[in-house]
Amino acid sequence: MNLLPPKTKEAIRALLQAEGETQQQLFQAARQVREEAGMQAVKLRGVIEISNYCQKHCGYCAIRPQNKTLERYRMDADMIFELAKAIRKTGITTVFLQAGQDPKSDALVLEVIPRIRTLGVNVLLNLGEKPQETYRAYAEAGADSYILKYETSDPVLYETIVGSPLENRLRCARWIREAGMKLGTGNIIGLPGQTLDTLAEDLLLAQSLAPDFVSASPFIPNQHTPLENREMGSLSLTLNTIALCRLLFPKALIPAVSALEKIRPGGQTLGLAAGANVLTINFTPKHFRDRYAIYSQERFVVSLGHARSTVAKAGLHLFQADPPKGQAAVS
Ligand code: SF4
């Protein structure tokens, strides 16, 4: 298969539909591009889900404030720092702080970022839409990168499902960049009303944002949400999107998200085989984790052991960072 990235919506659309031998050729091309870009070592991130308060109303997510069945929590800075230390002890060098869009966690995050940086790690954030000065403050406190997914490039579909304009989100993505942080973004595959054209346009939108990280997540129907009775997103379409992301962004960090494993055991191995190169290990304590119902109350929780065996099954190896003195590297 031609390793050149597809340039038009029609070319992307054709590859999104790849099946059988053509699909295997697409995955092979993605792996080759990943290798030629020197991105085949799998990077691990350690995520701490610091708060499940949220102001937004995304129709696919049980963390939305309309879900009154969910008990809310917000960690304190000391707890977050202790969890960050546990991440660093494993040799993982990216501490990933994730929450709903919770303005009350902003001061907490600003307090804890410099403490986490003393551990010699990168700080990645996924905390939603913020005022421009908040992104600047995160960057000044020491955050390296920020994930803000556009979810879908269709402004009408976005506003229908999320309840706010896509334009606001894209403006925030620009502010993240202007603040000096790396940008991660991505879409959801399988939203109601989405078409192959929408999915192809998603990738063109991603290109316009020139992201450092890019993801494709399958839609999972989530209890206590308006979309709880819809069908799951297609695994095949999600894997094709991952492979296309690799062709379009050879040097990007591309996660094999845990929802792939929720769709099918071994789904993350398939994600790595389609060109992904990141796995996120969950360090949120169980009593909080059970309440972080981002895509399902029974979501798949990735452990370090699962990540190691997933990487081995994909025939890859882990990215090796220099550990601090006296601490073990991930191996
Ligand atoms: S997806 Fe994120 S922003 Fe949307 S409701 Fe869930 S936690 Fe909030």
Side-chain angles (χ1 to χ4, degrees):
M1 177 172 281
N2 186 351
L3 296 185
L4 292 174
K7 289 205 181 330
T8 63
K9 186 165 110 180
E10 291 65 36
I12 293 172
R13 199 188 134 106
L15 287 171
L16 280 170
Q17 297 175 81
E19 290 178 345
E21 199 178 320
T22 315
Q23 186 177 43
Q24 291 312 313
Q25 287 172 358
L26 172 64
F27 296 162
Q28 170 61 34
R31 291 194 294 270
Q32 194 172 329
V33 166
R34 181 178 63 192
E35 185 161 355
E36 285 170 3
M39 298 301 286
Q40 72 274 35
V42 178
K43 188 119 202 253
L44 299 184
R45 296 167 174 161
V47 68
I48 309 169
E49 290 145 344
I50 63 172
S51 160
N52 72 350
Y53 284 92
C54 189
Q55 300 174 308
K56 287 200 82 175
H57 307 284
C58 308
Y60 42 79
C61 176
I63 293 178
R64 63 207 306 269
Q66 293 94 329
N67 181 9
K68 304 296 180 203
T69 68
L70 196 66
E71 200 186 332
R72 306 285 164 170
Y73 72 87
R74 187 179 295 114
M75 294 181 187
D76 65 29
D78 288 343
M79 172 177 278
I80 297 168
F81 184 56
E82 287 307 312
L83 292 166
K85 284 202 279 188
I87 291 172
R88 188 59 183 110
K89 269 191 190 150
T90 67
I92 293 175
T93 54
T94 299
V95 171
F96 179 13
L97 304 183
Q98 177 158 274
Q101 190 165 298
D102 173 22
K104 288 194 178 162
S105 71
D106 292 349
L108 168 71
V109 171
L110 287 173
E111 178 191 341
V112 84
I113 291 172
R115 292 174 68 186
I116 295 175
R117 287 302 302 254
T118 63
L119 302 171
V121 293
N122 294 315
V123 175
L124 165 65
L125 305 176
N126 180 7
L127 306 170
E129 294 165 32
K130 303 285 174 183
Q132 187 171 19
E133 55 272 21
T134 305
Y135 291 126
R136 285 199 195 116
Y138 287 154
E140 279 162 19
D144 305 277
S145 40
Y146 200 105
I147 294 175
L148 191 75
K149 292 172 58 178
Y150 55 81
E151 318 293 11
T152 174
S153 58
D154 178 336
V156 176
L157 180 61
Y158 181 90
E159 194 152 350
T160 305
I161 292 184
V162 172
S164 58
L166 178 61
E167 194 187 313
N168 292 1
R169 195 125 182 117
L170 299 179
R171 187 175 58 221
C172 286
R174 283 197 301 278
W175 286 344
I176 289 165
R177 263 280 154 63
E178 284 166 18
M181 291 185 280
K182 289 183 180 165
L183 175 69
T185 194
N187 66 348
I188 298 176
I189 317 282
L191 293 172
Q194 211 172 31
T195 63
L196 278 172
D197 274 344
T198 325
L199 291 171
E201 279 161 16
D202 287 357
L203 288 167
L204 295 173
L205 173 62
Q207 265 193 313
S208 74
L209 296 171
D212 302 282
F213 322 142
V214 60
S215 68
S217 306
F219 165 73
I220 308 278
N222 200 339
Q223 304 95 326
H224 309 297
T225 69
L227 303 182
E228 67 182 324
N229 295 318
R230 309 292 305 208
E231 275 185 25
M232 261 184 200
S234 152
L235 177 61
S236 179
L237 255 182
T238 308
L239 295 173
N240 289 353
T241 305
I242 289 173
L244 280 162
C245 285
R246 180 56 67 198
L247 296 185
L248 292 166
F249 309 105
K251 293 198 83 65
L253 291 175
I254 301 177
V257 298
S258 63
L260 290 170
E261 204 70 30
K262 171 85 182 170
I263 287 193
R264 182 196 294 178
Q268 287 184 296
T269 307
L270 297 175
L272 294 179
N277 63 344
V278 175
L279 293 171
T280 300
I281 317 294
N282 198 307
F283 282 81
T284 310
K286 187 172 181 329
H287 57 289
F288 291 134
R289 198 170 67 211
D290 290 346
R291 289 185 261 159
Y292 201 82
I294 186 96
Y295 67 77
S296 166
Q297 278 172 353
E298 291 94 38
R299 64 198 167 121
F300 185 84
V301 176
V302 179
S303 65
L304 198 48
H306 168 80
R308 285 182 170 132
S309 85
T310 298
V311 170
K313 280 185 209 148
L316 296 170
H317 62 277
L318 287 171
F319 177 85
Q320 293 283 354
D322 292 334
K325 280 196 178 102
Q327 293 181 359
V330 175
S331 59

